Structure formats: C-alpha cells, structure tokens
C-alpha cells in the first residue's frame, strides 16, 4: 500500500514536471518578419564600454575600437559618431582600415569651451580622413534647450566654411518642421542652413506601438520630403529598444526590436530612404535615459547579435531558460517525497507551486543576464532578491499548509474528546498519578482569581493539589483575600506570597516547584484568569500512561469575546493559531508550549532544566527544551478552559510584543540545538520550528522592512526617474500577499468554526500587529532582556489616552501617499503636468505600496474602533431594531401612558 502510494506521488511529480516543460513549449514565441540579407547603410557607433559616463571615466582604446569596427564592417557601410574628442577621434582612421565611411559628430551643449574643442576636432578629422562623409554639429541640441537656433546656425556655418563635406545637425523630425513654420521668411532656418536634413524618428518616444513604428517613420519621412522639396532627407536615427520599461503603448523587447528593424529596413530599401540605425552596440552608461537608454543596440554590450536578420524571430536563450525553470521546479518538488503519505491532490498543488517558483527563478536569471547594472541598481536588485528568498519560503510553507489541510489526510495525533485512551496510571502501582497545579499571579483582580480557584476545586480528578503563588504584589488587597479563599477551599490549596522574585513568571514558578508535593508526577500550569472544565485532568492525564510522553497541551480559549466588537475579533484571531497551526505542528511532535492549560511530566521538566528565567516566554522556552531532550508531546484542540482576553488594544499589542520578543530570545538561545547532532530534535521538528519562526517573526519583520525600503524608493522613482522596481521584484510581493490571504481564509473556513464576519475581523486583527512584532524583533536584535509586561485582564486596566496606532498611521498614510504620487506622476492625464509615461511597472509598484499599507491601516482601524460607539454590541442591536422599524419589518414600540384605574361595578356594589 505504501509503495503504491509513493508510486502515485512520483507519477504526479513527473506529470507536473512534464506539463511544465510542455507549457514552455506551448508558449514559445515565434514571429515572422521580412528577411534582410544586405548591408545596412549606416549605424550609430559609440566606442564606450561599461557604465561609466564618457565625460567622467570612460576613455576608449584603439584595440577595442578596431575589434568593434572589424565586426561592424560585415554589417554596415558607414557609422555615425556623436563626438570628436575623448577618444572618439581614434575612430575615423581605424574605420578606414575596414572600408567604413564615417559621419563625424561634434557634441554641442552649453559649455562654450567644450563646443569649440569639439568643432575644431571635427574639422580636423574631416580634413585628415578621406572616409569622413559628413559632419553632424550637435545632437538634439535644440530639443534639449542647450542652444538657441540662431546660435546653432552660426556654429554650423563656421564648420561649413572649414570643410568640403556635407554639414548638418541632428534633431527630432518635428524640430525641423516647427522651426521652418515659425521662422520669418527673411531669416535663415535650420533647414536652409544645413546641407541635408538629419531627422531623428524614434517611434518609441512618441507612444507608438511596435506595429505602428514603421508606418510612422515612413509617414514622417514623407512629411519632411513634402515640407522640404529638393532637400536631401536622411532619417539619421531610427531604432527600437530591446529592454526597459513601456512608455504608454510602446513596448520595448527583443522581439519588438527585431520585428521593427527588419520591417523598417525592408521598407526603407524599397523606397530608397537614406537612414541610420541607432545604434550598433548597447551602451550601459545610458541608464539615465528612461530605463531603455542602454538597450538600443543591434549588438549587446558583449558584442553578440541580439537577433537574426532572417528566418523566424525567436528568443535564442528560450530553451536554456525552460531547462532552468523545469530543473528548479523539480528540485523544489523533491521535499514532497519526504511527506508522510501525501495525497494526489496535495502533491499536485505542492508540485505546481514548486514549478511556479522554478519559472520565477528562470525569469530572474533572464533579467539578470539580459540587463546592465550600475552599482546602485545592482545593489537594489540584489537586496530585493535577498529579501524575496525568505518571502518565497514563507509563501511555500503556507501553500504546503493549505495543501495539507485542504487535501491531505486528517490529523492523526490530535487528542480528541471521547477517544479511547490508556487508563490514568503511571507505572504499575500508581493509579491516578498526582497532579500539582500551579497558578502564578501578579496584581491579578481578586474575584477573577477566585473564579479560577473555584473551577480547580471542582475538577473531577481525585489526586491533585493546587499551588497559588502571588509574586511581587505587596498590596494586601490583592493577596489577602486569595490566601483566605485558599484556606476555605481546603488543604489541597497551597498559598504562597513571594516578594522580590526575580526571573519574571519563571521565577515564581520555580518557587512553586519547591513547594510542590514530592509525590506529584505531573505539573499543571494555568494562568490566573482561566476557568478550567471539570474533566480537564480526567481526560488528559491518561495520555501520560505512555512513558515517552513529556507534555500535553490544551488550547487557550476566552469567555469574554462578547465584551465588544474588538474583543470579538480578537478572540477569532487567537482561535486560528490553536485550530490550525498547533494542530498541524502536532503531527510532527513540534508544538509550541504556551503556558496555560499545559500538563508537564515532572521528570521531563527536571531533565530539561526546569523553569529558566532568561527569557520572557518561559513556557515556550521550557517546551522546546523538553522536545530537545527527545520527549513526546501531544495536543488537543478541545477547549478545557476559558480565560479572559486583554482588556484593551494596547494590552493586546503588549502581549504580542512580549511573545515576539520572547520568541526571538528563544531563537538566540536555542539555535545551536538545531545543528546536526546537537540535540534529539528530528529533521521534521527542526523544520517546523525554523519555518514557524520564519513564518511569524520573519514574515512580519520582512513586511515592515520591505515596506519602508519601498517607501524610501518612491522619491528615487519619481524625481530621478531611474531604477523603477521591476516585475520580478514586485509581482512576487503581490503573489505572496494573495497566498497569505488564501491561506488565512481557506484554513479558517476549514478548521476554525466561527462566522464569516468574525473571520474577516480576525484577519484585520492578525495584520494589525505586524508593526508590533517587527519592533519586538528589532529590539531582540539589539537587546538581551526587556522587563516582563503583564497582560492587563479582568477589566482593571484603563484605556490609554494615547492613540495606540500612531506609528502605524504614519507609515500607512505615507505608503498611500507614495502610491498616489507614483500614479499621478506616471499619468499626467490626472493633473496638468508633463511626462505622461504610464509605465506599467510604476502602477504595479504603486499597487504594492497599497497592499503593504493594509497591515498598518488595520492597526489604525482597530485603534479607532476601540474608542468608537460601533465597538459596542448594543449599538449594533439598537441599529438593527431601528432599521427594522424604518422598513416596516418590526412595529414601532410606542410608549405606554399610565391611566388611573376605574373601579368596576361589582367593586362599587361591594363597597356599598
């Protein structure tokens, strides 16, 4: 049977892997475009390498130029340059070695001295090199606003007087048209000054799609011919980027670049157009040009062709990426084989998720190898990917839990009420082993603690004692009534009033152990607010008949969830941990001990070293120590006791902060025990505890870190217009959020028996403590100990006058503002600004910021709820009554008018 089940699992893994490979084959993109087997008339060439700017530290050398031009000589008849200094002056004589013609460029900007050097150098190159066929004075100088038209005309005239080759300037096509239309007839125009018109037609920057690009270029070419009859028209720049971000409808990409260029050169050759392709080789240093600047080359920075000029257009690395995706998916699926009897559907879901991770890894690899990075962008991408690794692990752990609960086999180790268990004996001679119940208390409400003691006195178990230890509570109003009540309840109840106790709650429990009966075999721990059921010990002590069992844990539950709407949703939030997480961890003997409602074998406690006071979560610390010694633990989700919820939202957050800080203390204390051979922990136990810490402490902290980093990144995107987070970083965050949402809703519906409204409220409550948990983890990184903070219960604490979600409100609002700024800046149709980019990645980034704001805003919502009328159930009851009366579903209750009663006739007669 087991072998057959394993064969089914392997078959599913192979089926999913094959389906994944088939999907790569199915979605392989192929496009057709006209073949071009000729030689290009001209391409733009810049001899620079790397990301350093040519004006700073990027000087080309002759050997590199010679290698470039040797390769380009097989592809083009001429090259266009943009400068004549800074090493570019080496190009024309080397180009002559390979028979290449050169159009020299003189870079013109606001720097007059540099302009003079550029012009002099260009003139000298034209005079000394016979392969120079023209000079372009300035490149989009008018467009950038760095020269006035009349000043540029004078520079052009100066060059024309000095050389015998055609002279022009390079400008966007509409600059030529608009200058001609706006210049008075008695004044020279750019067009009348130059020997030929060098027009730049770049459809990407004009929001044309790749399908429209060629038609747009031809139309612009014809427009210029009509505008300037008899003038030579050269499309001096035409191209399409192979990577970067979309600009409204214009999509960059390798397929788009290949299709546009192959269609363009075919059309251009057919109509006899003079043109120059921008550009020969990718220029990584142009990272500041809207994300697409480095990617206009027909060769990449390694001088490899990006596409073929004939045959179908395909991704040359496609099957390499497919292999990476499939192999990573298969590798990520292998841990499924370690699961105990997984079902087919469980295996299918986990393997599909693993292969999804494989596809993402292949996409990351493609992005990393297909883009150029300066230090800042490389650092940002590396940091983003590093932070995504634990996020992906967390998402996979949650998918595994979804698969286990929804499609796996039911719990097999869970103690169920009414199930057959061994008799309550330990050893042959001891029937009903003695249980010592310890109740620590610290400034607890007297009546609440009396209820707890009364419930213990009603236990249906013949052999127990109760040790009540009130610690560090000098006020006799808190301890004197309890001492008297213990005397009333009888000799089973021992009262201890200990002052100046060190070691937090653990210190008090140590004292309780010293006063414990010598024959007590089992120690029971309950909090001061817990009212236990009479059958608690009777049902659970028999589990200790197995001598391997060291600990049995029952869940927390609360009896005051109806105090307010806030308490109602808080109670729902607690229930998820005890009905989902603890049940699943119990299957691997890896439960988290949470103090109250816990039974511990005394021998196991002694072996683990007893209560330790070096953490503020002494119960979880002791439980892990017991498990590390190899003891078996058990869990039941039957509610054997009911306590009280934290009085206020402030108390709720303080409790969660203590749990998180104590959890981090435990990580620091026990991590060495997780090393191979360091303890008796099984691989499954190591995995459950590690993923549990990562899933809780890591997920909440990671969420805050990523949110703050993204918030810092907003002004860089908005004002610098660079380093927009790519989809490989943002989409996994969205996917992780969706997985978390499905995880919460699906598992609550399957395991936690609460109404939908309470479930949604519980989700808000769970999100609301993200900032609290992250603060606790941060404090755990920099401190060793924090004071133990008692959770206020029983109604004695007053609500703080401070707003309990101030920092959450600040961060949440900043995230929303950041998202709004990104959207508005990205889409100028919303307000009157220039630069209507509509970059898709910016919209996705804004969406991520909105999602990241939800946990912070959840805290704000609960803090506001706590202080509002709608927190009271009476408000909702009264509102329902009023609504029913308004719509006629319930008659309006009219006030009754008291009238004096009149004596009836019979009474009058009797009086007579």
């Amino acid at each position: 049977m087991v072998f057959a089940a394993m064969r089914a699992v392997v078959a599913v893994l192979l089926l999913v892997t094959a389906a994944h490979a088939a999907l790569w084959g199915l979605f392989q993109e192929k496009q057709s475009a006209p073949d071009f087997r000729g030689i290009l008339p001209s391409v733009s060439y810049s001899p620079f390498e790397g990301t350093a700017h040519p004006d700073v530290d990027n000087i080309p050398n002759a050997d590199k130029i010679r290698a470039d031009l040797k390769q380009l000589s097989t592809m083009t008849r001429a090259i266009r340059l943009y400068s004549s200094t800074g090493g570019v002056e080496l190009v024309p004589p080397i180009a002559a070695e390979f028979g290449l013609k050169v159009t020299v460029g003189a870079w013109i900007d606001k720097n007059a001295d540099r302009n003079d050097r550029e012009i002099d150098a260009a003139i000298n190159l034209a005079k000394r090199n016979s392969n120079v066929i023209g000079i372009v004075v300035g490149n989009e100088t008018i467009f950038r606003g760095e020269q006035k038209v009349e000043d540029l005309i004078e520079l052009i005239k100066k060059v024309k007087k000095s050389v015998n080759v055609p002279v022009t300037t390079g400008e966007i096509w509409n600059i030529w048209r608009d200058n001609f239309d706006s210049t008075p007839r008695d004044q020279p125009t750019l067009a009348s000054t130059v020997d030929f018109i060098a027009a730049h037609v770049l459809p990407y920057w004009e929001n044309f799609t790749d399908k429209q690009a060629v038609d747009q270029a031809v139309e612009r070419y014809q427009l210029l011919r009509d505008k300037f009859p008899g003038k030579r028209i050269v499309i001096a720049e035409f191209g399409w980027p192979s990577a970067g971000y979309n600009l409204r409808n214009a999509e960059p990409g390798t397929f788009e670049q290949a299709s546009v260029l192959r269609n363009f050169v075919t059309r251009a050759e057919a109509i006899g157009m003079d043109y120059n392709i921008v550009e020969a080789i990718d220029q990584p240093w142009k990272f500041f040009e809207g994300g697409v600047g480095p990617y206009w080359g027909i060769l990449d920075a390694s001088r490899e062709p990006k596409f073929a000029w004939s045959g179908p257009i395909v991704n040359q690395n496609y099957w390499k990426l497919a292999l990476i995706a499939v192999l990573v998916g298969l590798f990520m699926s292998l841990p499924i084989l370690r699961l105990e009897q997984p079902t087919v559907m469980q295996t299918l879901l986990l393997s599909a998720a693993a292969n999804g991770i494989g596809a993402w890894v292949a996409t990351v690899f493609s992005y990393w190898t297909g883009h150029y990075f300066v230090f800042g962008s490389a650092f940002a991408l590396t940091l983003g990917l590093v932070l995504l690794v634990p996020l992906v692990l967390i998402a996979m752990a949650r998918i595994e839990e979804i698969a286990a609960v929804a499609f796996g086999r039911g719990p097999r180790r869970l103690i169920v009420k009414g199930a057959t268990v061994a008799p309550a004996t330990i050893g042959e001679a001891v029937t009903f082993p003695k249980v010592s119940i310890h109740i620590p208390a610290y400034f607890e409400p007297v009546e609440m603690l009396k209820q707890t003691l009364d419930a213990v006195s009603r236990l249906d178990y013949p052999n127990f004692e109760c040790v009540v230890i009130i610690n560090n509570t000098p006020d006799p109003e808190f301890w004197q009534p309890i001492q008297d009540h213990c005397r009333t309840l009888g000799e089973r109840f021992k009262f201890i009033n200990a002052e100046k106790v060190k070691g937090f709650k653990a210190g008090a429990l140590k004292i309780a152990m010293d006063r414990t009966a010598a024959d007590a075999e089992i120690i029971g721990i309950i909090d001061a607010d817990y009212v236990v059921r009479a059958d608690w010990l009777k049902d659970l002590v028999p589990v200790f008949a197995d001598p391997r069992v060291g600990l049995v844990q029952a869940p927390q539950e609360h009896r005051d969830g109806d105090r307010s709407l806030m308490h109602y949703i808080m109670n729902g939030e607690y229930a998820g941990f005890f009905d989902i997480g603890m049940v699943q961890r119990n299957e691997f003997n890896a439960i988290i001990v949470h103090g109250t409602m816990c039974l511990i074998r005394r021998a196991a406690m002694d072996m683990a070293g007893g209560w330790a006071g070096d953490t503020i979560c002494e119960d979880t610390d002791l439980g892990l120590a017991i498990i590390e010694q190899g003891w078996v633990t058990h869990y039941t989700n039957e509610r054997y006791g009911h306590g009280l919820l934290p009085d206020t939202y402030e108390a709720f957050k303080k409790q969660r902060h203590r749990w998180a800080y104590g959890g981090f203390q435990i990580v620091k204390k026990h991590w060495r025990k997780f090393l191979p051979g360091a303890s008796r922990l099984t691989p499954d136990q190591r995995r459950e505890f590690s993923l549990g810490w990562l899933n809780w402490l890591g997920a909440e902290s990671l969420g805050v870190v990523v949110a703050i980093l993204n918030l810092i990144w907003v002004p860089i995107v908005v004002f610098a217009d660079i380093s927009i987070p790519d989809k490989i970083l943002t989409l996994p965050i969205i996917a992780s959020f969706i997985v978390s949402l499905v995880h919460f809703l699906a598992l609550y519906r399957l395991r936690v028996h609460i109404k939908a409204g309470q479930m949604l409220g519980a989700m808000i409550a769970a999100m609301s403590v993200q900032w609290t948990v992250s603060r606790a983890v941060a404090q755990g990184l920099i401190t060793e100990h924090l004071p133990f903070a008692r959770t206020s219960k029983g109604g004695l604490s007053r609500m703080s006058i401070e707003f309990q979600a101030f920092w959450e409100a600040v961060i949440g609002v900043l995230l929303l503002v950041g998202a709004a700024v990104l959207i508005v800046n990205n889409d100028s149709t919303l307000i009157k600004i220039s630069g209507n980019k509509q970059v898709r990645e910016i919209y996705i980034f804004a969406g991520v910021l909105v999602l990241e704001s939800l946990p912070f805003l959840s805290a704000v919502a609960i803090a506001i709820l706590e202080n509002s009328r709608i927190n009271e159930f009476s408000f909702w009851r009264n509102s329902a009554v009023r609504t029913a009366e308004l719509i006629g579903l319930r008659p309006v209750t009219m006030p009754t008018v008291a009238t004096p009663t009149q004596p009836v006739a019979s009474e009058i007669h009797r009086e007579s």
Side-chain angles (χ1 to χ4, degrees):
M1 177 69 78
V2 174
F3 182 69
M6 184 56 66
R7 283 194 304 177
V9 170
V10 173
V12 171
L13 292 184
L14 295 177
L15 177 64
V16 173
T17 302
H20 185 197
L23 286 174
W24 278 89
L26 181 64
F27 289 109
Q28 183 185 18
E29 187 176 1
K30 290 184 179 181
Q31 292 184 11
S32 60
D35 292 343
F36 178 73
R37 293 185 172 86
I39 299 292
L40 295 171
S42 178
V43 297
S44 297
Y45 173 65
S46 297
F48 308 110
E49 290 188 296
T51 58
H53 196 282
D55 290 344
V56 180
D57 185 23
N58 196 344
I59 307 300
N61 63 68
D63 292 337
K64 290 286 187 179
I65 294 172
R66 186 168 284 105
D68 287 346
L69 296 183
K70 180 180 179 180
Q71 184 175 6
L72 291 177
S73 65
T74 64
M75 306 169 63
T76 182
R77 289 188 290 270
I79 57 174
R80 176 188 168 186
L81 305 177
Y82 290 82
S83 175
S84 294
T85 61
V88 183
E89 68 275 7
L90 301 174
V91 174
I94 297 175
E97 299 175 14
F98 302 100
L100 287 171
K101 302 297 183 182
V102 179
T103 299
V104 169
W107 186 261
I108 302 298
D109 53 25
K110 294 180 179 181
N111 188 328
D113 292 338
R114 173 175 173 164
N115 293 345
D116 290 340
R117 291 196 303 273
E118 283 283 338
I119 289 174
D120 291 342
I123 292 171
N124 289 331
L125 288 174
K127 289 179 177 180
R128 295 176 181 175
N129 297 277
S130 61
N131 62 329
V132 172
I133 58 174
I135 297 178
V136 181
V137 181
N139 184 69
E140 298 183 357
T141 311
I142 303 301
F143 172 73
R144 295 196 308 274
E146 293 184 341
Q147 287 287 324
K148 295 179 180 179
V149 173
E150 54 269 27
D151 295 334
L152 182 60
I153 288 175
E154 292 303 316
L155 294 176
I156 294 171
K157 288 179 178 179
K158 176 181 178 181
V159 175
K160 288 179 66 175
K161 292 177 182 178
S162 305
V163 297
N164 296 320
V165 296
V167 180
T168 187
T169 187
E171 284 293 346
I172 301 174
W173 66 270
N174 61 292
I175 298 291
W176 296 99
R177 179 198 63 186
D178 296 345
N179 173 257
F180 178 82
D181 291 340
S182 62
T183 303
R185 296 306 175 203
D186 60 341
Q187 296 181 14
T189 64
L190 275 179
S192 65
T193 304
V194 300
D195 295 317
F196 65 94
I197 290 175
H200 298 173
V201 180
L202 299 170
Y204 170 85
W205 292 116
E206 296 188 57
N207 185 34
F208 287 96
T209 67
D210 55 293
K211 302 297 186 294
Q212 301 168 323
V214 176
D215 290 336
Q216 183 258 357
V218 173
E219 186 272 332
R220 301 294 193 249
Y221 173 72
Q222 191 60 48
L223 180 150
L224 293 174
R225 291 186 66 185
D226 295 341
K227 178 68 70 173
F228 306 105
K231 198 83 173 182
R232 180 188 172 204
I233 308 296
V234 177
I235 302 301
E237 279 190 0
F238 179 88
W240 195 268
S242 62
Y245 307 113
N246 74 291
L247 183 66
R248 288 170 282 176
N249 298 321
E251 293 281 353
T254 51
F255 280 87
E256 289 80 2
Q257 183 187 51
S259 177
V260 167
L261 291 182
R262 285 171 58 170
N263 276 285
F264 173 77
V265 297
T266 302
R267 289 276 295 277
E269 296 289 334
I271 65 176
M273 179 193 298
D274 284 342
Y275 65 90
N276 172 77
I277 297 297
V278 61
E279 57 193 321
I281 302 169
D282 279 350
Q283 298 296 300
W285 61 274
K286 294 183 179 180
F287 59 88
F288 49 84
E289 292 184 359
V292 297
Y295 305 105
W296 291 82
I298 57 178
L299 303 177
D300 63 25
S302 299
R303 277 53 178 173
E304 295 294 330
K306 293 183 183 178
F307 58 88
W309 286 92
S310 60
I313 301 171
V314 296
N315 181 353
Q316 301 170 2
N317 296 317
Y318 187 80
W319 288 112
K320 180 192 296 184
L321 298 177
L323 182 62
I324 292 173
V326 171
L327 289 179
V328 172
L330 182 60
F331 176 76
M332 295 286 288
S333 298
L334 293 180
I336 300 173
L337 299 175
R338 294 188 64 254
L339 297 179
E340 186 176 354
Q341 299 181 9
T343 66
V344 169
M345 285 301 297
Q346 185 180 2
T347 303
L348 183 64
L349 177 58
L350 291 175
S351 184
N355 280 271
I357 299 298
W360 175 70
V361 170
T363 305
V364 171
F365 178 81
S366 175
Y367 184 88
W368 189 274
T369 56
H371 287 73
Y372 312 113
F373 304 98
V374 296
F375 174 79
S377 59
F379 175 79
L381 180 62
T382 303
L383 178 62
L385 292 175
V386 168
L387 292 175
L388 281 180
V389 169
L391 193 69
V392 169
L393 292 177
I394 291 166
M396 285 296 293
R398 290 176 178 175
I399 291 173
E400 181 184 353
E401 197 165 36
I402 293 172
V405 174
F407 305 115
R409 306 179 192 279
R412 283 163 285 183
R413 296 189 73 247
L414 185 67
I415 300 173
V416 180
K417 174 72 174 176
T420 302
V421 293
T425 62
I426 292 183
E428 297 180 357
V430 183
T431 303
F432 294 111
K434 189 167 189 175
V435 179
S436 181
I437 300 170
H438 297 178
I439 306 176
Y442 170 73
F443 281 103
E444 303 293 352
V446 171
E447 293 304 317
M448 179 191 78
L449 186 50
K450 283 183 178 181
Q451 284 183 305
T452 299
L453 296 174
D454 289 341
V456 170
S457 70
R458 295 191 292 269
L459 283 171
D460 184 12
Y461 191 81
N463 192 12
F464 76 90
E465 68 171 6
C466 180
V467 180
V468 183
I469 176 165
I470 295 183
N471 67 96
N472 300 326
T473 308
D475 190 343
E477 290 187 6
F478 284 92
W479 62 262
Q480 187 66 58
I482 302 303
Q483 183 181 41
D484 296 341
H485 197 67
C486 287
R487 289 171 180 162
T488 302
L489 291 175
E491 61 182 10
R492 281 184 170 179
F493 289 79
K494 301 177 180 179
F495 175 81
I496 305 172
N497 181 21
E499 297 182 3
K500 298 181 180 179
V501 176
K502 297 181 179 180
F504 314 120
K505 183 178 176 181
L509 290 171
K510 281 183 179 180
I511 296 174
M513 285 297 299
D514 293 338
R515 296 284 297 273
T516 298
D519 59 341
E521 298 284 346
I522 298 169
I523 309 300
I525 311 296
I526 59 175
D527 284 347
D529 58 313
Y530 264 74
V531 175
V532 297
R533 274 174 25 186
D535 55 354
W536 173 41
L537 298 183
K538 183 178 69 174
D539 285 357
L540 298 185
V541 169
V543 180
F544 287 93
D546 182 348
R548 300 171 302 166
V549 174
L551 186 148
V552 177
Q553 178 72 65
Q556 294 183 16
E557 188 53 87
H558 308 94
R559 60 184 185 271
D560 58 344
D562 57 351
R563 283 174 59 185
S564 69
L565 183 58
M566 181 189 71
H567 289 87
Y568 180 66
I569 65 176
M570 281 164 48
N571 200 27
E573 192 270 341
Y574 283 107
F577 174 74
F578 298 107
D579 284 331
I580 302 170
M582 286 288 285
V583 173
Q584 292 306 114
R585 295 177 68 103
N586 183 57
E587 295 301 297
F588 302 98
N589 187 27
I591 63 173
I592 293 177
V593 177
H594 45 81
T596 190
M597 304 305 301
C598 181
L599 297 173
I600 306 173
R601 189 187 296 269
R602 190 173 191 172
M605 181 183 290
D606 292 340
M607 185 180 292
W611 297 106
D614 53 354
T615 75
I616 58 175
C617 283
E618 70 296 321
D619 40 16
T620 306
D621 181 24
L622 176 61
L624 178 55
I626 289 173
I627 293 173
E628 289 168 350
Q629 295 294 330
W631 291 91
V632 174
T633 63
H634 282 286
Y635 176 73
T636 177
N637 62 349
E638 180 73 21
R639 271 56 174 174
Y640 283 102
H642 294 75
L644 297 176
L645 290 162
D647 285 334
T648 63
Y649 185 49
E650 179 184 20
F652 176 70
K653 291 175 68 178
K654 283 184 177 179
Q655 182 189 60
R656 200 58 54 97
H657 183 279
R658 186 180 81 242
W659 290 351
Y661 184 85
F664 198 78
Q665 284 181 311
I666 292 170
V667 173
K668 292 193 295 184
K669 178 179 178 179
H670 287 264
W671 68 268
R672 293 178 182 82
K673 298 289 187 179
F674 283 69
L675 299 176
S679 68
R680 299 181 66 181
L681 290 172
T682 67
D684 284 336
Q685 288 172 330
R686 289 188 175 92
R687 173 184 172 279
E688 286 298 312
F689 276 101
S690 299
L691 283 179
W693 288 326
L694 178 65
N695 200 16
W696 183 40
L697 302 176
E700 305 291 16
S701 304
L702 194 64
V704 171
V705 169
V706 171
I708 292 175
L709 288 176
N710 284 341
L711 198 55
I712 295 171
W713 210 250
V714 169
I716 298 175
V717 174
V718 172
F719 300 113
D721 198 27
I722 59 172
S723 299
I724 301 170
D726 192 81
K727 295 187 290 291
I728 62 169
L729 297 179
T730 52
L731 290 182
I733 296 175
I734 297 174
S736 178
F737 179 85
I738 294 172
V739 168
S740 298
L741 184 65
V742 172
H743 175 266
F744 190 96
L745 296 178
L747 298 195
Y748 257 74
R749 296 299 291 172
L750 290 169
R751 284 281 179 84
V752 186
H753 304 298
I754 59 176
K755 295 180 180 179
Q758 187 179 12
M759 177 182 68
L760 294 176
M763 182 170 63
I764 294 173
M767 288 194 297
S768 76
V769 292
Q770 183 187 71
W771 173 250
T772 301
V773 172
S774 66
R775 281 182 57 245
V777 171
Q779 289 176 315
L781 284 170
I782 60 178
T783 64
E784 291 298 325
H785 299 285
L786 286 179
F788 184 93
R790 172 186 172 273
T791 303
S792 300
K793 300 178 181 180
L796 287 185
S797 60
R798 295 181 179 180
M799 201 179 305
S800 173
I801 61 173
E802 296 180 357
F803 185 64
Q804 291 304 310
F806 174 78
W807 286 111
E808 290 95 327
V810 170
I811 298 173
V813 170
L814 285 176
L815 287 167
L816 291 181
V817 170
V821 169
L822 286 170
I823 293 171
V824 170
N825 185 71
N826 195 37
D827 189 350
S828 66
T829 60
L830 299 176
I831 59 174
K832 300 297 183 180
I833 62 172
S834 61
N836 183 18
K837 302 184 292 289
Q838 297 182 15
V839 175
R840 189 177 304 107
E841 278 79 0
I842 293 180
Y843 288 129
I844 296 173
F845 186 33
V848 167
L849 294 183
V850 172
L851 290 181
E852 289 174 337
S853 72
L854 295 181
F856 300 99
L857 298 180
S858 296
V860 175
I862 295 181
I864 294 174
L865 171 69
E866 184 180 25
N867 293 283
S868 66
R869 291 175 56 203
I870 64 174
N871 192 35
E872 304 300 327
F873 283 113
S874 59
F875 171 84
W876 295 100
R877 286 193 292 267
N878 294 336
S879 297
V881 170
R882 293 191 192 100
T883 302
E885 291 174 349
L886 287 173
I887 63 177
L889 295 178
R890 175 188 175 105
V892 179
T893 303
M894 300 298 293
T896 57
V897 179
T899 58
T901 57
Q902 300 294 326
V904 297
S906 59
E907 292 176 339
I908 296 174
H909 290 308
R910 282 197 297 272
E911 288 174 0
S912 301

